[in-house]
């Protein structure tokens, strides 16, 4: 009898093994059914949540009558937010570990504008303690301030409540009819600044050799590797655009609060005296300077809002609807106003290939969106919204090609600059039929650089040596890093950077209809803010995305 036949003969052990397999199989099937049921349940829950957020057939977000719209975003203000993973968000909420999110400036402005004509909304309450607005995003704060100014024309009041106000938060709070500050809180206006860490001496100590290739007297991004201090040229350029931003800030706040010209400067530049006059009390210093109207703790602030809007049983204590709920209630923005205008956004660092919106501006991703606008017969013009410090020159050129293709097809491209449209951000803007920038947009930085560190001295110190052979004079690039960067390779980098700068000048010269020598004069890596850039012919008009859309529609 063969072994196979022996194994196939019935036996007690065989019965036990077979029965065991049957049980295991049944358990696996049950596990799969239960897992499928759980997945379907989760899908159902998230579908319900989606319907709720979208105002679909599920539960609808309610807005009480005579309520306050509470602007209380928790996160950083951005041009374009990264998509949210609903599963990750749900688990964060369950375990109380919800992280600050990205808040799209356009969505906040949309809520404010809608509230102006919404009969259910009696006024706005600014509760900005969890909102972070980066200093470089000043134009976003000014944009929301303008939306609040427009809201007040409806006759509805704006209130600001808070434990404290950062400089950027205060720009928005200054629009309020009444500003409440906690009696132990503060308002500190420090102005704008540009400081960096300079590591030339540190690199010397750790035996690292920095190789920098650049064109542009003012292209200061690589200075920290080459110097132990800021160059006079960088100081000049930085102080020029920061000073303009600060002037815009002071003018905006003083106008909104009805303060005398120079009041903000005195509060900031002579803060020691201001504080001494209030006996070191930060809150009283803000009150005495006219920056706030009333000092009140949280309980007193809540009572004031109850008096303004009526009492409620919810956590706020007064009749209100928060920002996220209100956005869910009014639903997604419809394209009815300008159905023939496509808005394509390039936000974040410009990188090669594709990138998720809100993380970076992928050259291929933005170009694909421009291509869709090109092929859509309903689209008659495009607004390219740029909010980027630059990045890859190659990816910038891929995007620029898409802009040029649209123009060749007879579809105008109007560029709307956000807070930043510098370096590669300006490269992709230059070919636009019109360029719109806000007064505080940071733009320009027409220059090119490359940075390559090598560690040959550190390697030698620790007894690591690099040696080998190559077939060409360029083969030594394989050794660069632990080995030195040979002069002929360094020359290749420098020539490439210089060629890139000439290309940049040509891109701007062609796109803006300017002489290349003139572009070089306002270029050299120097940054400008919008109002300066307009005078230098780098932008056409001052205004936000709304004005750019109107221009595209025309």
């Amino acid at each position: 009898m063969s072994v196979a036949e022996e194994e196939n003969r019935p036996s007690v052990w065989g019965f036990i093994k077979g029965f065991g397999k049957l049980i295991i199989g049944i358990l696996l099937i049950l596990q799969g059914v239960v897992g499928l049921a759980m997945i379907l349940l989760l899908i159902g829950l998230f579908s319900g949540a989606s319907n709720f957020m979208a105002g679909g057939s599920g539960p609808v977000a309610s807005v009480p009558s005579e309520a306050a719209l509470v602007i209380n975003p928790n996160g950083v203000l951005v041009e374009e937010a990264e998509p949210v993973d609903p599963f990750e968000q749900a688990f964060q909420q369950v375990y109380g570990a919800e992280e600050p999110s990205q808040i799209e400036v356009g969505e906040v402005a949309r809520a404010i504008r809608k509230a102006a004509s919404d009969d259910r909304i009696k006024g706005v309450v600014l509760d900005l303690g969890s909102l972070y607005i980066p200093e470089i995003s000043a134009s976003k704060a000014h944009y929301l301030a303008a939306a609040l100014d427009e809201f007040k024309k409806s006759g509805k009041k704006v209130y600001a409540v808070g434990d404290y106000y950062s400089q950027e938060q205060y720009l928005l709070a200054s629009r309020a009819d009444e500003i409440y500050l906690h009696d132990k809180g503060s308002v500190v206006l420090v102005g704008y600044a540009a400081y960096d860490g300079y590591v030339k001496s540190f690199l010397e100590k750790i035996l690292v050799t920095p190789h920098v290739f650049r064109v542009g007297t003012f292209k200061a991004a690589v200075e920290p590797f080459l110097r132990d201090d800021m160059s006079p040229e960088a100081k000049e350029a930085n102080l020029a655009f920061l000073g303009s931003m600060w002037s815009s800030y002071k003018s905006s706040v003083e106008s909104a609060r009805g303060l005398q010209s120079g009041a903000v400067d005195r509060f900031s530049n002579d803060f020691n005296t201001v504080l001494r006059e209030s006996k070191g009390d930060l809150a009283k210093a803000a009150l005495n300077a006219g920056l706030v109207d009333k000092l009140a703790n949280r309980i007193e602030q809540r009572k004031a809002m109850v008096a303004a809007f009526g009492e409620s049983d919810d956590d706020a204590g007064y009749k209100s609807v928060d920002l996220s709920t209100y956005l869910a209630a009014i639903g997604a923005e419809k394209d009815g106003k300008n159905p023939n205008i496509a808005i394509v956004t390039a936000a974040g660092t410009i990188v090669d290939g594709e990138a998720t919106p809100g993380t970076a501006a992928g050259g291929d991703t933005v170009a694909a969106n421009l291509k869709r606008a090109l092929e859509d017969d309903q689209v008659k013009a495009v607004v390219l919204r740029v909010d980027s410090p630059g990045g890859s020159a190659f990816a910038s050129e891929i995007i620029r090609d898409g802009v040029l293709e649209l123009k060749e097809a007879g579809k105008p491209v109007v560029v709307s600059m956000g807070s930043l449209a510098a370096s590669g951000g300006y490269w992709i803007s230059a070919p636009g039929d019109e360029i719109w920038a806000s007064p505080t947009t940071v733009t320009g930085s027409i220059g090119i650089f490359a940075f390559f560190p090598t560690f040959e001295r550190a390697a030698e110190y620790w007894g690591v040596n690099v040696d080998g052979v190559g077939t060409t004079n360029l083969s030594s690039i394989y050794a660069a890093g632990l080995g030195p960067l040979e002069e002929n390779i360094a020359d290749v980098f420098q020539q490439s950077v210089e060629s890139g700068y000439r290309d940049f000048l040509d891109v701007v010269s062609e796109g803006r209809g300017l002489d290349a020598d003139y572009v070089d004069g306002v270029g050299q890596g120097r940054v400008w803010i919008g109002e300066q850039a307009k005078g230098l012919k780098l932008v056409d008009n001052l205004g936000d995305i709304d004005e750019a859309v109107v221009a595209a529609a025309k």
Side-chain angles (χ1 to χ4, degrees):
M1 183 179 290
S2 68
V3 174
E5 289 175 337
E6 180 66 27
E7 286 181 346
N8 287 328
R9 290 180 61 187
S11 67
V12 173
W13 175 240
F15 172 78
I16 293 173
K17 287 196 296 181
F19 184 73
K21 289 179 180 179
L22 176 63
I23 295 298
I24 292 173
I26 292 173
L27 289 174
L28 288 173
I29 291 172
L30 287 173
Q31 181 181 5
V33 171
V34 171
L36 178 61
M38 290 298 295
I39 291 172
L40 291 174
L41 177 61
L42 285 172
I43 291 174
L45 288 173
F46 283 111
S47 295
S50 298
N51 285 334
F52 172 79
M53 292 300 292
S57 57
V60 178
S62 62
V63 179
S65 61
E66 297 289 294
L69 169 59
V70 182
I71 305 297
N72 59 341
N74 176 23
V76 58
L77 194 65
V78 298
E79 182 67 36
E80 184 177 39
E82 184 179 357
V84 176
D85 183 337
F87 288 93
E88 181 180 349
Q89 187 179 47
F91 282 119
Q92 287 177 354
Q93 290 173 346
V94 168
Y95 290 103
E98 190 173 3
E99 296 180 0
S101 57
Q102 294 176 321
I103 313 299
E104 288 191 1
V105 61
E107 286 294 273
V108 181
R110 183 167 72 90
I112 294 170
R113 289 171 181 152
K114 177 64 177 177
S117 59
D118 191 334
D119 293 336
R120 299 169 296 179
I121 300 299
K122 185 179 179 181
V124 162
V125 174
L126 302 174
D127 184 3
L128 307 172
S130 298
L131 175 63
Y132 172 58
I133 308 175
E135 288 185 2
I136 200 65
S137 296
S139 70
K140 295 180 178 64
H142 283 282
Y143 182 61
L144 293 183
L148 289 167
D149 287 338
E150 193 66 26
F151 173 86
K152 290 171 67 176
K153 293 179 181 179
S154 68
K156 301 177 182 181
K157 284 194 171 184
V158 176
Y159 301 85
V161 297
D163 297 336
Y164 57 85
Y165 298 97
S166 71
Q167 182 170 288
E168 286 66 39
Q169 291 169 356
Y170 184 74
L171 182 67
L172 303 185
S174 69
R175 269 53 198 176
D177 295 281
E178 294 182 16
I179 303 178
Y180 291 82
L181 173 67
H182 196 287
D183 52 12
K184 300 301 180 185
S186 63
V187 179
V188 181
L189 309 181
V190 298
Y192 295 111
Y195 287 91
D196 211 336
Y198 291 81
V199 296
K200 177 186 176 183
S201 295
F202 173 71
L203 294 179
E204 285 290 336
K205 285 182 171 61
I206 63 173
L207 304 177
V208 172
T209 305
H211 302 275
V212 172
F213 313 94
R214 62 173 174 172
V215 180
T217 306
F218 299 95
K219 199 70 174 179
V222 292
E223 278 194 357
F225 305 109
L226 302 176
R227 301 176 58 94
D228 287 324
D229 60 357
M230 187 180 291
S231 70
E233 295 81 7
K235 287 182 177 180
E236 175 191 346
N238 288 336
L239 196 56
F241 88 83
L242 291 172
S244 296
M245 288 174 61
W246 183 234
S247 293
S248 295
Y249 183 95
K250 293 184 296 183
S251 175
S252 179
V253 166
E254 289 169 354
S255 175
R257 291 292 296 168
L259 301 173
Q260 290 184 349
S261 178
V264 172
D265 257 338
R266 179 179 184 273
F267 185 79
S268 299
N269 290 327
D270 201 13
F271 190 65
N272 298 83
T273 302
V274 169
L275 193 56
R276 193 171 293 110
E277 291 171 352
S278 64
K279 298 181 179 180
D281 190 319
L282 292 167
K284 285 184 179 178
L287 180 66
N288 294 340
L291 297 181
V292 302
D293 298 298
K294 297 179 182 178
L295 301 183
N297 60 34
R298 292 182 178 180
I299 297 171
E300 292 166 338
Q301 290 182 19
R302 184 171 65 250
K303 287 180 178 178
M305 295 304 99
V306 169
F309 298 101
E311 193 169 5
S312 174
D313 294 331
D314 59 19
D315 292 339
Y318 58 95
K319 292 173 66 176
S320 62
V321 56
D322 63 39
L323 176 64
S324 59
T325 303
Y326 187 67
L327 284 170
I330 63 178
E333 186 173 19
K334 302 297 189 295
D335 297 329
K337 287 186 177 180
N338 294 291
N340 305 122
I341 309 300
I343 299 177
V344 177
T345 301
T349 303
I350 299 173
V351 298
D352 294 322
E354 298 181 351
T356 303
T359 60
D364 291 349
T365 303
V366 178
N369 291 334
L370 293 171
K371 185 73 171 177
R372 276 194 285 274
L374 173 71
E375 296 173 348
D376 189 340
D377 293 336
Q378 297 300 312
V379 172
K380 305 302 180 185
V382 172
V383 172
L384 177 61
R385 178 66 168 176
V386 181
D387 192 50
S388 171
S392 164
F394 182 79
S396 298
E397 181 63 9
I398 295 298
I399 296 172
R400 175 176 171 268
D401 287 341
V403 172
L404 294 175
E405 190 176 15
L406 279 163
K407 293 177 64 176
E408 289 172 3
K411 295 189 176 185
V413 178
V414 174
V415 174
S416 171
M417 292 179 169
S419 296
L420 275 169
S423 197
Y426 192 79
W427 183 298
I428 65 177
S429 301
D433 292 286
E434 286 184 23
I435 299 179
W436 288 73
S438 77
T440 54
T441 293
V442 177
T443 188
S445 192
I446 300 169
I448 301 278
F449 75 88
F451 174 68
F452 190 91
T454 56
F455 304 86
E456 69 275 12
R457 291 184 296 158
E460 183 181 1
Y461 177 82
W462 292 104
V464 177
N465 298 289
V466 177
D467 194 13
V469 295
T471 58
T472 75
N473 290 334
L474 297 178
S475 297
S476 64
I477 187 67
Y478 288 109
L482 288 181
L485 187 69
E486 300 293 347
E487 288 187 11
N488 65 316
I489 304 296
D491 181 59
V492 170
F493 279 118
Q494 185 61 39
Q495 288 193 53
S496 177
V497 166
E498 290 175 1
S499 175
Y501 182 65
R502 289 192 296 270
D503 289 343
F504 206 158
L505 296 182
D506 290 341
V507 164
V508 178
S509 177
E510 176 188 332
R512 300 296 300 157
L514 299 171
D515 183 78
D517 290 336
Y518 173 82
V519 177
D520 184 37
V522 299
Q524 292 290 318
R526 183 160 183 165
V527 296
W528 311 93
I529 70 165
E531 59 184 8
Q532 297 169 329
K534 183 177 184 296
L536 296 170
K537 303 178 183 178
L538 295 178
V539 305
D540 298 298
N541 302 289
L542 297 181
D544 289 301
I545 188 169
D546 308 303
E547 288 87 351
V549 170
V550 171
K554 289 180 180 178

